[in-house]
Every structure is written in C-alpha cells, then in structure tokens.
Amino acid sequence: MPVTMSQAFIDNFLGNSPKWFKIAIISFLIINPIVFYIDPFTAGWLLVLEFIFTLAMALKCYPLQPGGLLAIEAVIIGMTSPSQVLHEIEANLEVLLLLIFMVAGIYFMKQLLLFAFTKMITKIRSKVVVSLMFCIASAVLSAFLDALTVIAVIIAVAVGFYSIYHKVASGKSFADAHDHTSEGGNQLCEDELEAFRGFLRNLLMHAGIGTALGGVCTMVGEPQNLIIAAQANWQFAEFALRMSPVTVPVFVAGIATCFLVEKFKVFNYGVQLPEAVHKILSDYDAHEDAHRTKHDKMKLFVQAIIGVWLVVGLALHLASVGLIGLSVIILATAFNGVTNEHALGKAFEEALPFTALLAVFFAIVGVIIDQQLFAPVIQWALSYEGNTQLVIFYVANGLLSMVSDNVFVGTVYINEIKAALLDGQITRDQFDLLAVAVNTGTNLPSVATPNGQAAFLFLLTSAIAPLIRLSYGRMVWMALPYTIVLSIVGVLAIQFGFLEDMTQYFYDTHMILHHTVKEAAQGAMSSH
C-alpha cells in the first residue's frame, strides 16, 4: 500500500524510536498547554517529569530531540522566557566551554592514553592487578579530564583489542588488524572468544566506575561539578579539598570493592584473559613497538608534556577550564602536525551533542526557577538541621540521579540552594556543606544505572557493547556492588559529622598554604 503523508510524518518524527514513544511525546506536547492554562505549578512539575522520562529513555531516542521539543514548547507557552534561558546559559558558560574544548583537546592526546592502557594489559598478567590499575587510572584521569573522554579512550582500546584478536584468530596478519570488527570467523574458538568478551566487560565496568570515583573529586571531573563550583565560587584546589572528606573514603572503598569482586569472582567479575588471546595482543604490541617511527615517538613525548601542562594549569587555576582545554587543542595540533580543518572537526563530534543537550537542561532549569517548582521541596529539606539535612539532600540527589541525568539533577539542586543562601535562609557554611552533599549525591549513587552517568550511557551505546554482550541489565547487575558500597560510605561520611570537621580542617590548611606561597612569591619579587 502507498504511504500516506500522515504515515510519512509519523515515520520521520523521532526516526527509529518506538511508536509508543513517539505517541507519548506528542501527547505531552498536546497536554502541557492545557494543564498550564489550568495550573502553571502542576504543569511545571509535569514538564520536569516528562523531561526526566526522555532522559530515562535515552537508549530509545537521544534526549536532545524529545527534550528539546518540550523545552521549546515551554518557552512558547510562557513557562519560562528566552531571556531566562539565555541567563542560565551565560551563568554556566564555563561548563559549555569545558565540554566543547576540553573533550576535544583530550581527543588529540588519545595516542598517549591508548599506549598506556595497552601496556597495562600486555605487560601485567594478574587479572586483579590489571583491574585495579584500570580502575585507578580511570579515576586519576577523570579527576583532571572529562569522564566521558576517559571512557571514550578506554572503549577505543577495547575495540582495538577485539579487532586485533578477531582478525588474527581468523588467519589475517597484523597489517589487517585495524579493519572494522565483525562477527563470525569459523577459526575462532567460541569458549576463548566468550572468555575474552567477559574479560573486556570486566575492564570496561571497572574503568566506568573509576571515572565516577575520580570524577566526583574535582571541579572538572563531571559537568555538574563545574556548575556547583561556579555557584560556590570555588577554585580547583578548594573544590577538591572540600569534597575530600567524602571522596577519599569513597575512593578507598571503591578500590577495595574492585579487589574483592575480582578476587571472589562475583557479579560476573573475575573472568581471566585466555593465554592464546594474551599472546596475540602481546605480539601485536611488540609489532607496534618495532614499527613505531621517531615521528610517532615524538608525538607521544609532546602529548606527555601537554599532559603535565594540563594538570599544572588546572591545579593552579592558571586560566578557566575551557581555555586550558583550548590551549591543549592548539598545542597538541600545532606540535603534532594536525592542520587540516576536517581532522580538527572530528575532535568535536563526541562533545557537541551533549553540549546541545546541556543547553536544553538550562531551559528546563529556567522553568523550575520561574515556576518555583522546587521551593516546597527545598523548604522541607531545610526544615531539618545539622547532618540530617545533609543526608536528606544526598539521598534525594542520589535517588533522582539513578533514573535521570546527574548533570540535570545537580544543576537544579545547586540553583535552589544558592537561592536559599541569597534569601538568607541558610548561612554560607551551610551552603558549602550542602554543595558537597549535592555533588557527592549526584555522582556516587548514580552509578546504579546507565541513565545516571553519561560515561555509562556512552559505554552502553558504543560499538563495543554488542560485541562483548554488554546489555543494560548486565551493566546494572555488575554496577550493583559498587552502587551499594559507594552510596553507603558516602552517606556515612556525611551522617557522622566527619564532613564538617574535616572540611574546615582541610580548608584552613589550604588557606595557610595559599598565604605561605603568596608571601614567598612576594618576598622573592621584592628581593629581586
């Protein structure tokens, strides 16, 4: 039968998304103006729930399109205004610059990161040690880079390993090992292949958890961290110090969990790398080392120097995060000979869709502010005192981040807390402690599902996931021990007064060191 125009419209609308999802979004767009006319407050909450629904259904359809349609309609019917949306974007410009420039900058340092992770797998035979190194390395890198970029690099490593094994085991040479991966190959041993898949699943999950462990520690680890740091007016070092009473014990607990699940082979962990696969990967690594030219070695050296600049620049806050990322792009491309416009463009492909989605987040935040949606919730939470208040914020952020996106949740809550501070409802000390609770609440329990962590969602939707049989349910199951441990340790650190005392101690120490360095520098200038 010929396709009618109405059928063509439905087919084109949101592409390959399920028909029920398309109908749901159209229903939202029809219902919202009616409800807004009757009760704006109810309509505002309905919009927030609809937007969270689009985030939860990210595997069916990227949230930018359905969420963006809801945001556009909200502006049109008057739930918020274009000026309010622009104000939110301007207030969070540094976050957008982080995503645009820092992620792209690290793209040009992938060779160095790929080299390091390849050596880990080929040179270390203990599965427990390799797992710990992947988890720790991902955490350290995520503390100074964007977590999404780190997981993207590790996915590239896994895809490369899978491709190498598949091609070589199918009888091809190392020269063909960079071909696209595919299923099949009669010469492949199914048991060997399944064990290799399990090994890669283990490493990718440990790495994903590592990005959360490190990402919570600093203002550049996750986008919402930078939003929180901007609202609290914290620089890199102060942010890390204020978070450390929670993040340090959580990090130790996370690494211990990595060791235990591998040691006792629970939750689908503990899968060993088959000896035959290890030999293929080791031979390939040796082949690459033997054919690495002086130009290639110089590129690695340059990237290592740029990595040092990146860490020093962030730690000393020599410029805004986005500008440091831009400097990385310029240095890495200039000294490694990347001067073609199209080669530069590829670096921005990973971050720009999420950057656009973040702008939609801010439109929804504009609705929340204009309609005062969270005012009753915040007032209820603020009615409690002391550590109980902090725990409520931690749990509320954590539970919502499990089903929604932690950037959206963190943005909403920190804006409401900042409004309470400006209204005189809370003191500056309360605000600082609540900011820590919001940041850790959005970062730690959110490892429970791919919806909460952008790095997890990126892993689940990547090319490697179907190759290694990594499904949504399997990710949730493998993340479960981490979810339980990280959430409990985080809430205990907040509940038992450890947070307030240690935060003050670390902050006092930071200020003493800051003034000492400043006085020493002034003294040196005077003597000169």
Side-chain angles (χ1 to χ4, degrees):
M1 292 179 64
V3 177
T4 64
M5 291 299 289
S6 59
Q7 288 175 323
F9 174 80
I10 292 296
D11 289 341
N12 290 340
F13 181 66
L14 300 182
N16 294 324
S17 303
K19 190 173 182 179
W20 65 264
F21 182 80
K22 299 180 181 183
I23 294 172
I25 297 301
I26 292 174
S27 300
F28 294 161
L29 295 172
I30 294 172
I31 292 170
N32 287 344
I34 300 172
V35 178
F36 182 68
Y37 179 77
I38 298 171
D39 183 1
F41 185 82
T42 302
W45 267 109
L46 183 62
L47 177 73
V48 171
L49 294 175
E50 291 166 353
F51 187 70
I52 291 174
F53 169 76
T54 67
L55 295 175
M57 294 293 107
L59 295 179
K60 302 295 183 183
C61 178
Y62 192 66
L64 175 63
Q65 289 78 24
L69 290 173
L70 293 172
I72 291 172
E73 182 185 65
V75 172
I76 292 174
I77 65 178
M79 298 178 81
T80 188
S81 63
S83 59
Q84 180 65 42
V85 176
L86 180 60
H87 172 74
E88 291 300 317
I89 291 175
E90 289 174 340
N92 295 284
L93 181 61
E94 196 166 351
V95 181
L96 299 178
L97 292 179
L98 162 73
L99 288 172
I100 295 171
F101 292 132
M102 186 62 81
V103 175
I106 304 308
Y107 175 88
F108 295 107
M109 295 178 64
K110 277 187 176 181
Q111 285 173 296
L112 178 65
L113 297 173
L114 287 168
F115 175 81
F117 281 109
T118 301
K119 293 299 181 184
M120 285 185 199
I121 287 184
T122 56
K123 302 302 182 185
I124 302 172
R125 292 299 289 128
S126 170
K127 172 65 185 311
V128 173
V129 175
V130 171
S131 298
L132 289 171
M133 290 191 69
F134 259 70
C135 191
I136 293 171
S138 299
V140 173
L141 289 170
S142 295
F144 292 96
L145 314 175
D146 178 71
L148 195 63
T149 305
V150 175
I151 200 68
V153 168
I154 298 173
I155 288 170
V157 173
V159 170
F161 285 160
Y162 190 93
S163 175
I164 292 162
Y165 168 73
H166 190 279
K167 296 301 179 183
V168 174
S170 298
K172 297 186 179 181
S173 65
F174 285 133
D176 301 318
H178 288 301
D179 292 350
H180 294 295
T181 57
S182 61
E183 295 298 331
N186 294 330
Q187 299 181 44
L188 297 178
C189 173
E190 189 59 37
D191 291 341
E192 187 179 276
L193 179 59
E194 188 53 41
F196 186 37
R197 285 169 175 160
F199 177 82
L200 291 178
R201 280 198 302 268
N202 288 181
L203 293 188
L204 285 167
M205 286 301 296
H206 290 314
I209 296 295
T211 63
L213 291 175
V216 67
C217 295
T218 67
M219 60 186 281
V220 297
E222 293 281 355
Q224 73 269 18
N225 298 20
L226 200 58
I227 294 171
I228 292 168
Q231 294 289 6
N233 197 28
W234 294 340
Q235 303 302 337
F236 188 90
E238 184 177 355
F239 184 98
L241 288 170
R242 287 192 178 276
M243 294 297 158
S244 58
V246 179
T247 57
V248 171
V250 163
F251 179 81
V252 173
I255 299 303
T257 304
C258 177
F259 174 81
L260 292 173
V261 296
E262 282 293 337
K263 188 70 175 177
F264 294 101
K265 299 182 179 180
V266 292
F267 293 93
N268 297 141
Y269 290 105
V271 182
Q272 297 294 322
L273 178 66
E275 189 62 39
V277 181
H278 179 265
K279 186 178 187 309
I280 290 174
L281 297 181
S282 296
D283 290 347
Y284 179 77
D285 183 48
H287 175 269
E288 288 291 287
D289 286 344
H291 290 79
R292 187 170 288 113
T293 65
K294 289 184 178 179
H295 289 90
D296 295 329
K297 293 177 181 177
M298 180 53 67
K299 287 180 180 179
L300 293 176
F301 177 75
V302 167
Q303 289 172 25
I305 296 298
I306 294 172
V308 173
W309 147 245
L310 177 65
V311 172
V312 172
L314 290 173
L316 300 180
H317 197 70
L318 300 179
S320 72
V321 177
L323 295 182
I324 291 176
L326 179 58
S327 73
V328 168
I329 295 175
I330 294 170
L331 293 172
T333 55
F335 289 99
N336 283 339
V338 182
T339 56
N340 185 279
E341 182 181 359
H342 296 292
L344 287 169
K346 292 179 181 178
F348 294 89
E349 290 177 0
E350 291 177 0
L352 286 182
F354 190 72
T355 305
L357 178 60
L358 198 60
V360 175
F361 283 176
F362 296 139
I364 304 300
V365 170
V367 173
I368 292 171
I369 292 172
D370 285 348
Q371 303 301 324
Q372 298 183 330
L373 302 183
F374 271 71
V377 178
I378 298 297
Q379 293 306 317
W380 170 77
L382 292 178
S383 66
Y384 291 87
E385 296 181 355
N387 293 340
T388 302
Q389 183 186 84
L390 301 178
V391 169
I392 288 174
F393 273 90
Y394 176 90
V395 173
N397 278 268
L399 291 175
L400 193 54
S401 294
M402 287 181 183
V403 296
S404 181
D405 185 274
N406 53 9
V407 181
F408 174 66
V409 177
T411 302
V412 169
Y413 270 91
I414 197 63
N415 281 338
E416 293 297 326
I417 295 170
K418 185 64 176 287
L421 173 66
L422 297 177
D423 291 342
Q425 298 180 50
I426 57 175
T427 64
R428 175 67 204 203
D429 288 340
Q430 276 181 286
F431 171 82
D432 290 337
L433 295 174
L434 287 170
V436 175
V438 169
N439 186 67
T440 53
T442 55
N443 276 286
L444 299 176
S446 58
V447 301
T449 69
N451 305 97
Q453 289 274 350
F456 274 37
L457 187 61
F458 187 74
L459 171 58
L460 187 62
T461 55
S462 68
I464 192 65
L467 295 177
I468 62 174
R469 309 295 188 261
L470 184 61
S471 63
Y472 187 100
R474 181 170 265 168
M475 283 191 75
V476 171
W477 174 248
M478 296 180 74
L480 184 59
Y482 286 106
T483 304
I484 295 170
V485 172
L486 302 189
S487 300
I488 291 176
V489 173
V491 80
L492 289 177
I494 291 173
Q495 173 64 40
F496 291 106
F498 180 61
L499 175 60
E500 187 170 2
D501 296 337
M502 292 303 293
T503 298
Q504 190 60 49
Y505 170 76
F506 281 125
Y507 182 64
D508 291 343
T509 304
H510 166 65
M511 293 306 295
I512 291 171
L513 289 173
H514 176 74
H515 288 304
T516 302
V517 172
K518 188 175 181 179
E519 289 172 2
Q522 290 175 343
M525 291 290 291
S526 300
S527 61
H528 179 70

